[in-house]
Protein backbone atom coordinates (compact mmCIF):
# COMPACT_ATOMS: atom_id res chain seq x y z
CA UNK A 1 0.00 0.00 0.00
CA UNK A 2 2.85 2.33 0.84
CA UNK A 3 4.49 1.67 -2.52
CA UNK A 4 1.39 2.69 -4.46
CA UNK A 5 1.00 5.99 -2.61
CA UNK A 6 4.68 6.98 -2.69
CA UNK A 7 5.48 9.54 -5.44
CA UNK A 8 7.63 8.19 -8.22
CA UNK A 9 11.13 9.53 -8.56
CA UNK A 10 11.18 12.37 -11.07
CA UNK A 11 7.38 12.92 -10.97
CA UNK A 12 5.34 15.69 -9.36
CA UNK A 13 6.69 19.08 -8.54
CA UNK A 14 9.99 17.82 -7.19
CA UNK A 15 12.31 14.94 -8.07
CA UNK A 16 14.24 12.71 -5.70
CA UNK A 17 17.33 14.79 -6.34
CA UNK A 18 15.52 17.97 -5.24
CA UNK A 19 15.20 19.54 -8.72
CA UNK A 20 11.92 20.64 -10.26
CA UNK A 21 10.48 18.62 -13.14
CA UNK A 22 11.35 20.08 -16.54
CA UNK A 23 8.32 21.13 -18.55
CA UNK A 24 8.26 20.77 -22.36
CA UNK A 25 8.43 24.55 -22.70
CA UNK A 26 11.45 24.73 -20.44
CA UNK A 27 13.22 21.95 -22.35
CA UNK A 28 12.43 23.72 -25.64
CA UNK A 29 13.87 26.95 -24.28
CA UNK A 30 17.00 25.18 -23.05
CA UNK A 31 17.45 23.49 -26.43
CA UNK A 32 17.16 26.87 -28.14
CA UNK A 33 19.64 28.37 -25.71
CA UNK A 34 22.01 25.46 -26.33
CA UNK A 35 21.76 26.01 -30.08
CA UNK A 36 22.45 29.72 -29.63
CA UNK A 37 25.53 28.94 -27.55
CA UNK A 38 26.87 26.47 -30.10
CA UNK A 39 26.28 28.73 -33.08
CA UNK A 40 27.18 32.20 -31.79
CA UNK A 41 29.17 31.79 -28.55
CA UNK A 42 31.24 28.61 -28.79
CA UNK A 43 34.60 29.48 -30.40
CA UNK A 44 33.08 32.70 -31.70
CA UNK A 45 36.49 34.14 -32.56
CA UNK A 46 37.93 30.92 -33.99
CA UNK A 47 40.18 31.39 -37.01
CA UNK A 48 38.24 30.43 -40.14
CA UNK A 49 39.87 32.08 -43.17
CA UNK A 50 37.83 32.50 -46.32
CA UNK A 51 39.33 30.19 -48.98
CA UNK A 52 39.93 31.39 -52.53
CA UNK A 53 37.10 31.00 -54.97
CA UNK A 54 37.11 28.05 -57.36
CA UNK A 55 38.09 28.97 -60.90
CA UNK A 56 36.58 26.04 -62.78
CA UNK A 57 33.22 27.70 -63.35
CA UNK A 58 31.68 28.38 -66.77
CA UNK A 59 33.09 31.94 -66.83
CA UNK A 60 36.34 31.83 -64.85
CA UNK A 61 37.72 28.80 -66.67
CA UNK A 62 37.71 30.80 -69.92
CA UNK A 63 39.93 33.53 -68.47
CA UNK A 64 43.69 33.68 -69.18
CA UNK A 65 46.02 32.12 -66.63
CA UNK A 66 47.09 35.22 -64.70
CA UNK A 67 43.61 36.72 -64.66
CA UNK A 68 42.08 33.40 -63.61
CA UNK A 69 44.47 33.17 -60.64
CA UNK A 70 43.54 36.69 -59.62
CA UNK A 71 39.83 35.93 -60.03
CA UNK A 72 40.12 33.39 -57.19
CA UNK A 73 40.42 36.34 -54.77
CA UNK A 74 37.27 38.10 -55.99
CA UNK A 75 35.29 37.45 -52.75
CA UNK A 76 38.10 38.97 -50.69
CA UNK A 77 38.16 42.04 -52.93
CA UNK A 78 34.39 42.45 -52.57
CA UNK A 79 34.60 42.27 -48.78
CA UNK A 80 37.41 44.85 -48.76
CA UNK A 81 35.29 47.13 -50.94
CA UNK A 82 32.36 46.80 -48.53
CA UNK A 83 34.69 47.64 -45.64
CA UNK A 84 35.89 50.76 -47.47
CA UNK A 85 32.29 51.86 -48.12
CA UNK A 86 31.51 51.33 -44.41
CA UNK A 87 34.49 53.48 -43.52
CA UNK A 88 33.25 56.29 -45.78
CA UNK A 89 29.73 56.03 -44.34
CA UNK A 90 31.16 56.36 -40.86
CA UNK A 91 33.00 59.56 -41.69
CA UNK A 92 30.49 61.24 -43.96
CA UNK A 93 27.50 60.71 -41.64
CA UNK A 94 29.35 60.79 -38.33
CA UNK A 95 29.19 63.24 -35.48
CA UNK A 96 30.66 66.71 -35.16
CA UNK A 97 34.27 65.59 -35.26
CA UNK A 98 36.72 64.64 -32.58
CA UNK A 99 38.12 61.30 -31.43
CA UNK A 100 34.70 59.62 -31.32
CA UNK A 101 33.99 60.63 -34.91
CA UNK A 102 37.38 59.33 -36.09
CA UNK A 103 36.93 56.09 -34.21
CA UNK A 104 33.42 55.48 -35.55
CA UNK A 105 34.62 55.07 -39.15
CA UNK A 106 37.29 52.55 -38.17
CA UNK A 107 34.85 50.63 -35.98
CA UNK A 108 32.49 50.27 -38.92
CA UNK A 109 35.21 48.96 -41.25
CA UNK A 110 36.86 46.49 -38.86
CA UNK A 111 33.88 44.08 -38.51
CA UNK A 112 33.51 43.81 -42.28
CA UNK A 113 37.22 42.99 -42.71
CA UNK A 114 37.05 40.49 -39.85
CA UNK A 115 34.47 38.42 -41.72
CA UNK A 116 37.36 37.16 -43.89
CA UNK A 117 39.00 35.33 -40.98
CA UNK A 118 36.60 35.18 -37.99
CA UNK A 119 33.00 35.33 -39.27
CA UNK A 120 31.11 34.81 -35.98
CA UNK A 121 33.44 37.16 -34.14
CA UNK A 122 32.84 39.75 -36.86
CA UNK A 123 29.11 39.62 -36.08
CA UNK A 124 29.72 40.43 -32.42
CA UNK A 125 32.12 43.22 -33.38
CA UNK A 126 29.40 44.57 -35.65
CA UNK A 127 26.93 44.54 -32.76
CA UNK A 128 29.45 46.39 -30.56
CA UNK A 129 30.10 48.95 -33.30
CA UNK A 130 26.35 49.42 -33.73
CA UNK A 131 25.96 50.17 -30.02
CA UNK A 132 28.91 52.59 -30.06
CA UNK A 133 27.74 54.53 -33.11
CA UNK A 134 24.17 54.43 -31.87
CA UNK A 135 25.23 56.25 -28.73
CA UNK A 136 27.69 58.80 -30.15
CA UNK A 137 26.78 59.01 -33.86
CA UNK A 138 24.30 60.97 -35.95
CA UNK A 139 21.29 58.82 -36.84
CA UNK A 140 19.82 60.82 -39.66
CA UNK A 141 16.28 59.56 -39.11
CA UNK A 142 17.23 55.88 -38.88
CA UNK A 143 17.24 55.75 -35.08
CA UNK A 144 18.49 53.91 -33.22
CA UNK A 145 20.89 53.00 -36.08
CA UNK A 146 23.27 55.29 -37.91
CA UNK A 147 23.36 55.02 -41.73
CA UNK A 148 26.90 53.67 -41.59
CA UNK A 149 25.92 51.05 -38.99
CA UNK A 150 22.99 49.93 -41.15
CA UNK A 151 25.24 49.41 -44.17
CA UNK A 152 28.03 47.81 -42.14
CA UNK A 153 25.74 45.40 -40.28
CA UNK A 154 23.99 44.41 -43.49
CA UNK A 155 27.38 43.66 -45.09
CA UNK A 156 28.47 41.59 -42.09
CA UNK A 157 25.21 39.65 -41.97
CA UNK A 158 25.43 38.88 -45.68
CA UNK A 159 29.03 37.66 -45.61
CA UNK A 160 28.61 35.63 -42.42
CA UNK A 161 25.37 34.07 -43.67
CA UNK A 162 27.09 33.07 -46.90
CA UNK A 163 29.91 31.44 -44.93
CA UNK A 164 27.79 29.61 -42.32
CA UNK A 165 24.60 27.59 -42.04
CA UNK A 166 21.02 28.88 -42.31
CA UNK A 167 20.51 28.30 -38.56
CA UNK A 168 23.30 30.77 -37.77
CA UNK A 169 21.61 33.33 -40.01
CA UNK A 170 18.36 32.89 -38.02
CA UNK A 171 20.16 33.43 -34.70
CA UNK A 172 21.92 36.53 -36.04
CA UNK A 173 18.57 37.97 -37.11
CA UNK A 174 17.08 37.34 -33.65
CA UNK A 175 20.05 38.99 -31.91
CA UNK A 176 19.94 41.93 -34.34
CA UNK A 177 16.24 42.56 -33.75
CA UNK A 178 16.71 42.30 -29.98
CA UNK A 179 19.65 44.69 -30.06
CA UNK A 180 17.71 47.16 -32.19
CA UNK A 181 14.76 47.05 -29.81
CA UNK A 182 17.02 47.69 -26.81
CA UNK A 183 18.75 50.61 -28.55
CA UNK A 184 15.38 52.00 -29.61
CA UNK A 185 14.19 52.03 -26.02
CA UNK A 186 17.36 53.83 -24.91
CA UNK A 187 17.44 56.43 -27.73
CA UNK A 188 13.70 56.78 -28.26
CA UNK A 189 14.02 60.48 -29.08
CA UNK A 190 15.42 59.61 -32.53
CA UNK A 191 12.47 57.44 -33.54
CA UNK A 192 12.45 53.70 -33.97
CA UNK A 193 12.90 51.97 -37.34
CA UNK A 194 13.46 48.52 -35.83
CA UNK A 195 10.66 46.85 -37.76
CA UNK A 196 11.78 48.26 -41.10
CA UNK A 197 15.38 47.18 -40.53
CA UNK A 198 14.29 43.79 -39.22
CA UNK A 199 12.27 43.26 -42.39
CA UNK A 200 15.14 44.23 -44.67
CA UNK A 201 17.67 42.11 -42.78
CA UNK A 202 15.21 39.22 -42.62
CA UNK A 203 14.58 39.25 -46.38
CA UNK A 204 18.31 39.31 -47.15
CA UNK A 205 19.06 36.47 -44.73
CA UNK A 206 16.07 34.47 -45.97
CA UNK A 207 17.26 34.70 -49.58
CA UNK A 208 20.75 33.60 -48.57
CA UNK A 209 19.36 30.72 -46.49
CA UNK A 210 17.21 29.54 -49.39
CA UNK A 211 20.27 29.58 -51.66
CA UNK A 212 22.20 27.59 -49.04
CA UNK A 213 19.41 25.03 -48.68
CA UNK A 214 19.14 24.62 -52.43
CA UNK A 215 22.88 24.10 -52.84
CA UNK A 216 22.90 21.56 -50.01
CA UNK A 217 19.98 19.75 -51.62
CA UNK A 218 21.75 19.70 -54.98
CA UNK A 219 24.92 18.33 -53.38
CA UNK A 220 22.91 15.69 -51.55
CA UNK A 221 21.09 14.68 -54.72
CA UNK A 222 24.37 14.51 -56.61
CA UNK A 223 25.93 12.37 -53.87
CA UNK A 224 22.90 10.08 -53.83
CA UNK A 225 23.07 9.74 -57.60
CA UNK A 226 26.72 8.77 -57.37
CA UNK A 227 25.96 6.23 -54.64
CA UNK A 228 23.01 4.91 -56.64
CA UNK A 229 25.18 4.51 -59.74
CA UNK A 230 27.82 2.63 -57.75
CA UNK A 231 25.20 0.40 -56.14
CA UNK A 232 23.60 -0.22 -59.53
CA UNK A 233 26.96 -1.28 -60.95
CA UNK A 234 27.53 -3.60 -58.00
CA UNK A 235 24.07 -5.08 -58.39
CA UNK A 236 24.66 -5.59 -62.09
CA UNK A 237 27.93 -7.39 -61.38
CA UNK A 238 26.25 -9.59 -58.78
CA UNK A 239 23.39 -10.41 -61.14
CA UNK A 240 25.82 -11.28 -63.91
CA UNK A 241 27.84 -13.45 -61.55
CA UNK A 242 24.64 -15.19 -60.53
CA UNK A 243 23.79 -15.86 -64.18
CA UNK A 244 27.31 -17.17 -64.79
CA UNK A 245 27.08 -19.41 -61.73
CA UNK A 246 23.74 -20.79 -62.89
CA UNK A 247 25.06 -21.55 -66.33
CA UNK A 248 28.27 -23.12 -65.06
CA UNK A 249 26.23 -25.13 -62.59
CA UNK A 250 24.28 -26.61 -65.48
CA UNK A 251 27.46 -27.27 -67.48
CA UNK A 252 29.38 -28.92 -64.65
CA UNK A 253 26.37 -30.88 -63.47
CA UNK A 254 25.91 -32.26 -66.99
CA UNK A 255 29.53 -33.39 -67.23
CA UNK A 256 29.51 -34.94 -63.77
CA UNK A 257 26.36 -36.86 -64.67
CA UNK A 258 28.07 -38.16 -67.82
CA UNK A 259 31.09 -39.26 -65.76
CA UNK A 260 28.88 -41.12 -63.32
CA UNK A 261 26.94 -42.89 -66.09
CA UNK A 262 30.06 -43.87 -68.02
CA UNK A 263 31.75 -45.14 -64.86
CA UNK A 264 28.73 -47.31 -64.13
CA UNK A 265 28.51 -48.69 -67.66
CA UNK A 266 32.24 -49.21 -68.24
CA UNK A 267 32.58 -52.62 -66.45
CA UNK A 268 29.87 -54.10 -68.67
CA UNK A 269 31.83 -53.24 -71.83
CA UNK A 270 34.59 -55.67 -70.89
CA UNK A 271 34.15 -59.40 -70.53
CA UNK A 272 35.19 -60.71 -67.13
CA UNK A 273 36.74 -57.45 -65.90
CA UNK A 274 39.27 -57.83 -63.08
CA UNK A 275 37.83 -57.10 -59.63
CA UNK A 276 40.28 -54.25 -59.21
CA UNK A 277 39.00 -52.56 -62.40
CA UNK A 278 35.36 -53.00 -61.38
CA UNK A 279 36.12 -51.60 -57.94
CA UNK A 280 37.94 -48.63 -59.50
CA UNK A 281 34.96 -47.79 -61.73
CA UNK A 282 32.63 -48.16 -58.75
CA UNK A 283 34.76 -45.74 -56.78
CA UNK A 284 34.76 -43.27 -59.69
CA UNK A 285 31.00 -43.46 -59.90
CA UNK A 286 30.56 -42.97 -56.14
CA UNK A 287 32.87 -39.96 -56.15
CA UNK A 288 31.11 -38.48 -59.19
CA UNK A 289 27.69 -38.90 -57.60
CA UNK A 290 28.94 -37.42 -54.31
CA UNK A 291 30.52 -34.47 -56.15
CA UNK A 292 27.32 -33.94 -58.13
CA UNK A 293 25.27 -33.93 -54.93
CA UNK A 294 27.56 -31.41 -53.24
CA UNK A 295 27.61 -29.29 -56.39
CA UNK A 296 23.83 -29.10 -56.48
CA UNK A 297 23.71 -28.38 -52.78
CA UNK A 298 26.29 -25.56 -52.86
CA UNK A 299 25.67 -23.93 -56.23
CA UNK A 300 21.92 -24.49 -56.12
CA UNK A 301 21.56 -21.50 -53.79
CA UNK A 302 22.16 -19.15 -56.72
CA UNK A 303 18.93 -20.22 -58.35
CA UNK A 304 15.96 -17.99 -57.81
CA UNK A 305 12.71 -19.62 -56.79
CA UNK A 306 11.24 -18.95 -60.22
CA UNK A 307 14.36 -20.07 -62.09
CA UNK A 308 13.84 -22.94 -64.48
CA UNK A 309 16.77 -24.90 -65.78
CA UNK A 310 16.94 -24.89 -69.58
CA UNK A 311 15.72 -28.01 -71.33
CA UNK A 312 18.48 -27.82 -73.96
CA UNK A 313 22.21 -27.73 -73.21
CA UNK A 314 23.81 -24.34 -72.72
CA UNK A 315 24.63 -22.67 -76.08
CA UNK A 316 28.09 -22.73 -77.63
CA UNK A 317 29.70 -21.09 -80.66
CA UNK A 318 28.30 -23.92 -82.78
CA UNK A 319 24.84 -22.44 -82.11
CA UNK A 320 25.88 -18.97 -83.27
CA UNK A 321 24.10 -19.25 -86.62
CA UNK A 322 20.74 -19.47 -84.86
CA UNK A 323 21.52 -16.29 -82.92
CA UNK A 324 22.60 -14.43 -86.06
CA UNK A 325 19.43 -15.55 -87.84
CA UNK A 326 17.32 -14.13 -85.01
CA UNK A 327 19.01 -10.73 -85.06
CA UNK A 328 18.75 -10.59 -88.85
CA UNK A 329 15.02 -11.15 -88.53
CA UNK A 330 14.95 -8.29 -86.00
CA UNK A 331 16.40 -5.97 -88.66
CA UNK A 332 20.12 -6.06 -87.93
CA UNK A 333 22.31 -6.95 -90.94
CA UNK A 334 25.17 -8.94 -89.45
CA UNK A 335 28.20 -10.59 -91.03
CA UNK A 336 30.24 -13.40 -89.47
CA UNK A 337 33.93 -13.96 -90.18
CA UNK A 338 35.94 -16.86 -88.72
CA UNK A 339 39.72 -17.01 -88.87
CA UNK A 340 42.02 -19.78 -87.71
CA UNK A 341 41.42 -23.49 -87.31
CA UNK A 342 38.03 -24.06 -85.70
CA UNK A 343 38.37 -26.35 -82.69
CA UNK A 344 36.33 -27.32 -79.69
CA UNK A 345 37.02 -25.15 -76.66
CA UNK A 346 36.09 -25.66 -73.01
CA UNK A 347 32.36 -25.35 -72.62
CA UNK A 348 32.68 -22.43 -70.20
CA UNK A 349 34.68 -20.48 -72.80
CA UNK A 350 32.21 -21.37 -75.56
CA UNK A 351 29.27 -20.31 -73.40
CA UNK A 352 30.84 -16.99 -72.38
CA UNK A 353 31.84 -16.20 -75.97
CA UNK A 354 28.28 -16.88 -77.11
CA UNK A 355 26.83 -14.64 -74.38
CA UNK A 356 29.27 -11.82 -75.16
CA UNK A 357 28.34 -11.85 -78.85
CA UNK A 358 24.67 -12.02 -77.91
CA UNK A 359 24.90 -9.00 -75.60
CA UNK A 360 26.96 -6.97 -78.09
CA UNK A 361 24.42 -7.55 -80.86
CA UNK A 362 21.56 -6.71 -78.48
CA UNK A 363 23.27 -3.43 -77.65
CA UNK A 364 23.56 -2.69 -81.36
CA UNK A 365 19.83 -3.27 -81.84
CA UNK A 366 18.98 -1.01 -78.89
CA UNK A 367 21.46 1.84 -79.30
CA UNK A 368 22.24 1.91 -83.04
CA UNK A 369 18.99 1.30 -84.94
CA UNK A 370 19.51 0.79 -88.65
CA UNK A 371 23.24 0.06 -88.32
CA UNK A 372 25.02 -3.04 -89.58
CA UNK A 373 27.26 -5.29 -87.50
CA UNK A 374 30.20 -7.59 -88.04
CA UNK A 375 31.21 -10.51 -85.83
CA UNK A 376 34.79 -11.75 -86.09
CA UNK A 377 35.92 -14.94 -84.34
CA UNK A 378 39.60 -15.78 -84.29
CA UNK A 379 40.94 -19.16 -83.18
CA UNK A 380 44.56 -18.59 -82.22
CA UNK A 381 47.10 -20.74 -80.48
CA UNK A 382 46.74 -19.14 -77.07
CA UNK A 383 43.00 -18.69 -76.93
CA UNK A 384 39.95 -17.17 -78.62
CA UNK A 385 39.59 -13.66 -80.03
CA UNK A 386 36.27 -11.88 -80.57
CA UNK A 387 35.50 -8.59 -82.30
CA UNK A 388 32.01 -7.22 -82.62
CA UNK A 389 31.75 -3.88 -84.40
CA UNK A 390 28.74 -1.92 -85.61
CA UNK A 391 28.31 1.24 -87.64
CA UNK A 392 26.50 4.45 -86.65
CA UNK A 393 22.74 4.57 -86.31
CA UNK A 394 20.94 5.37 -89.54
CA UNK A 395 17.32 5.00 -88.54
CA UNK A 396 15.26 8.08 -87.65
CA UNK A 397 13.93 6.24 -84.62
CA UNK A 398 16.03 7.18 -81.62
CA UNK A 399 17.93 4.60 -79.60
CA UNK A 400 15.88 2.83 -76.96
CA UNK A 401 16.71 3.28 -73.30
CA UNK A 402 18.27 0.15 -71.87
CA UNK A 403 19.78 -0.57 -68.49
CA UNK A 404 23.18 0.56 -69.72
CA UNK A 405 25.01 -2.24 -67.95
CA UNK A 406 25.49 -4.77 -70.73
CA UNK A 407 29.18 -3.92 -70.95
CA UNK A 408 29.52 -4.57 -67.22
CA UNK A 409 28.16 -8.08 -67.66
CA UNK A 410 30.47 -8.80 -70.59
CA UNK A 411 33.48 -7.49 -68.68
CA UNK A 412 32.57 -9.72 -65.72
CA UNK A 413 32.50 -12.81 -67.93
CA UNK A 414 35.84 -11.93 -69.51
CA UNK A 415 37.42 -11.25 -66.10
CA UNK A 416 36.17 -14.61 -64.83
CA UNK A 417 38.09 -16.34 -67.61
CA UNK A 418 41.21 -14.21 -67.16
CA UNK A 419 40.76 -12.43 -70.48
CA UNK A 420 41.00 -8.86 -71.73
CA UNK A 421 38.19 -6.70 -73.09
CA UNK A 422 38.00 -3.24 -74.64
CA UNK A 423 34.89 -1.33 -75.64
CA UNK A 424 35.11 2.03 -77.41
CA UNK A 425 33.60 4.13 -80.15
CA UNK A 426 34.98 3.90 -83.65
CA UNK A 427 36.05 6.79 -85.82
CA UNK A 428 32.96 6.35 -88.00
CA UNK A 429 30.58 6.83 -85.07
CA UNK A 430 29.91 3.17 -84.36
CA UNK A 431 31.00 0.95 -81.49
CA UNK A 432 33.55 -1.82 -81.19
CA UNK A 433 33.96 -4.56 -78.60
CA UNK A 434 37.12 -6.67 -78.66
CA UNK A 435 37.74 -9.64 -76.39
CA UNK A 436 40.56 -12.11 -75.95
CA UNK A 437 39.99 -15.20 -73.81
CA UNK A 438 43.07 -17.29 -73.07
CA UNK A 439 42.71 -21.06 -73.50
CA UNK A 440 45.41 -23.48 -72.49
CA UNK A 441 46.20 -26.01 -75.23
CA UNK A 442 45.00 -29.52 -74.45
CA UNK A 443 47.59 -32.23 -73.81
CA UNK A 444 48.01 -34.50 -76.87
CA UNK A 445 47.58 -37.67 -74.84
CA UNK A 446 44.49 -36.35 -73.16
CA UNK A 447 43.01 -35.28 -76.48
CA UNK A 448 43.71 -38.69 -78.00
CA UNK A 449 42.21 -40.47 -75.01
CA UNK A 450 39.12 -38.27 -75.15
CA UNK A 451 38.70 -38.95 -78.87
CA UNK A 452 39.13 -42.71 -78.35
CA UNK A 453 36.60 -42.70 -75.53
CA UNK A 454 34.08 -40.86 -77.67
CA UNK A 455 34.58 -43.32 -80.55
CA UNK A 456 34.04 -46.30 -78.26
CA UNK A 457 30.97 -44.68 -76.78
Amino acid sequence: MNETTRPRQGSGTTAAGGGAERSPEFRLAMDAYGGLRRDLFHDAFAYRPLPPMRTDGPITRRLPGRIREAAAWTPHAVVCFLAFCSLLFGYTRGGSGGPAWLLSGVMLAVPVITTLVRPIGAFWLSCAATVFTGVVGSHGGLGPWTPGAVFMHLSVLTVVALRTRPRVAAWMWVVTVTLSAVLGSVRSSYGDNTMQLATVYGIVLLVISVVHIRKDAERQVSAEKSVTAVERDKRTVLEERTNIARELHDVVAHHMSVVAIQAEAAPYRVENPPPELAQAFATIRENAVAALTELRRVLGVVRAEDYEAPDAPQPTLADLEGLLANVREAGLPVEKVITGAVRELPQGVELSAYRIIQEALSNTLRHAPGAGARVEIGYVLGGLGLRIVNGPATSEAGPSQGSGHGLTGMAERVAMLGGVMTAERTGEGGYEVTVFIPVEPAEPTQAAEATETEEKA
Side-chain angles (χ1 to χ4, degrees), residues 1-15:
M1 184 66 180
N2 292 334
E3 293 181 357
T4 58
T5 58
R6 183 183 304 166
R8 291 185 303 167
Q9 182 176 355
S11 64
T13 58
T14 60

Side-chain angles (χ1 to χ4, degrees), residues 69-259:
E69 293 177 2
W73 302 99
T74 301
H76 303 73
V78 172
V79 172
C80 292
F81 176 75
L82 294 176
F84 178 72
C85 293
S86 301
L87 180 69
L88 293 182
F89 266 113
Y91 286 146
T92 56
R93 300 300 299 271
S96 58
W101 177 77
L102 294 176
L103 185 60
S104 63
V106 176
M107 289 191 67
L108 293 181
V110 168
V112 182
I113 289 292
T114 309
T115 58
L116 294 174
V117 289
R118 306 180 192 275
I120 303 299
F123 169 74
W124 290 116
L125 291 178
S126 176
C127 293
T130 299
V131 174
F132 178 81
T133 56
V135 173
V136 303
S138 174
H139 299 77
L142 289 175
W145 298 72
T146 64
V150 171
F151 180 82
M152 176 271 300
H153 200 67
L154 179 61
S155 302
V156 171
L157 289 180
T158 302
V159 177
V160 176
L162 289 172
R163 297 197 57 193
T164 56
R165 297 173 296 175
R167 191 175 66 182
V168 177
W171 284 124
M172 289 192 302
W173 183 82
V174 171
V175 173
T176 299
V177 173
T178 304
L179 178 63
S180 180
V182 172
L183 286 178
S185 63
V186 174
R187 302 293 298 269
S188 58
S189 59
Y190 289 95
D192 189 358
N193 292 320
T194 299
M195 295 305 300
Q196 293 88 331
L197 294 177
T199 302
V200 173
Y201 290 158
I203 292 175
V204 173
L205 294 177
L206 179 62
V207 171
I208 295 174
S209 299
V210 170
V211 172
H212 266 303
I213 294 173
R214 179 171 180 176
K215 287 184 177 179
D216 291 340
E218 290 176 351
R219 283 194 294 266
Q220 184 177 2
V221 170
S222 178
E224 290 179 354
K225 286 182 178 180
S226 300
V227 172
T228 302
V230 172
E231 293 298 329
R232 189 186 298 115
D233 289 339
K234 291 181 178 179
R235 186 175 66 248
T236 302
V237 170
L238 291 177
E239 290 176 355
E240 191 61 31
R241 288 180 178 177
T242 301
N243 293 333
I244 294 171
R246 289 172 179 172
E247 295 171 350
L248 291 182
H249 173 269
D250 298 333
V251 171
V252 176
H254 168 72
H255 286 293
M256 293 303 295
S257 300
V258 172
V259 170

Side-chain angles (χ1 to χ4, degrees), residues 265-303:
Y268 299 100
R269 295 175 178 271
V270 181
E271 294 183 1
N272 301 323
E276 295 81 3
L277 180 62
Q279 182 61 35
F281 279 117
T283 303
I284 293 174
R285 181 184 180 280
E286 291 175 1
N287 291 335
V289 172
L292 183 61
T293 302
E294 292 297 326
L295 179 67
R296 288 173 176 168
R297 182 180 303 161
V298 175
L299 296 183
V301 298
V302 302
R303 296 188 185 277

Side-chain angles (χ1 to χ4, degrees), residues 22-75:
R22 287 354 184 214
S23 65
E25 293 80 5
F26 180 81
R27 290 196 297 268
L28 182 61
M30 293 304 296
D31 292 340
Y33 174 69
L36 176 62
R37 288 187 57 188
R38 288 190 301 270
D39 293 334
L40 293 185
F41 289 95
H42 182 67
D43 288 338
F45 286 86
Y47 183 67
R48 301 184 181 95
L50 178 64
M53 183 181 67
R54 296 178 58 180
T55 57
D56 56 352
I59 298 177
T60 54
R61 65 186 178 189
R62 293 184 172 87
L63 299 175
R66 291 285 183 87
I67 300 178
R68 184 169 56 189
E69 293 177 2
W73 302 99
T74 301

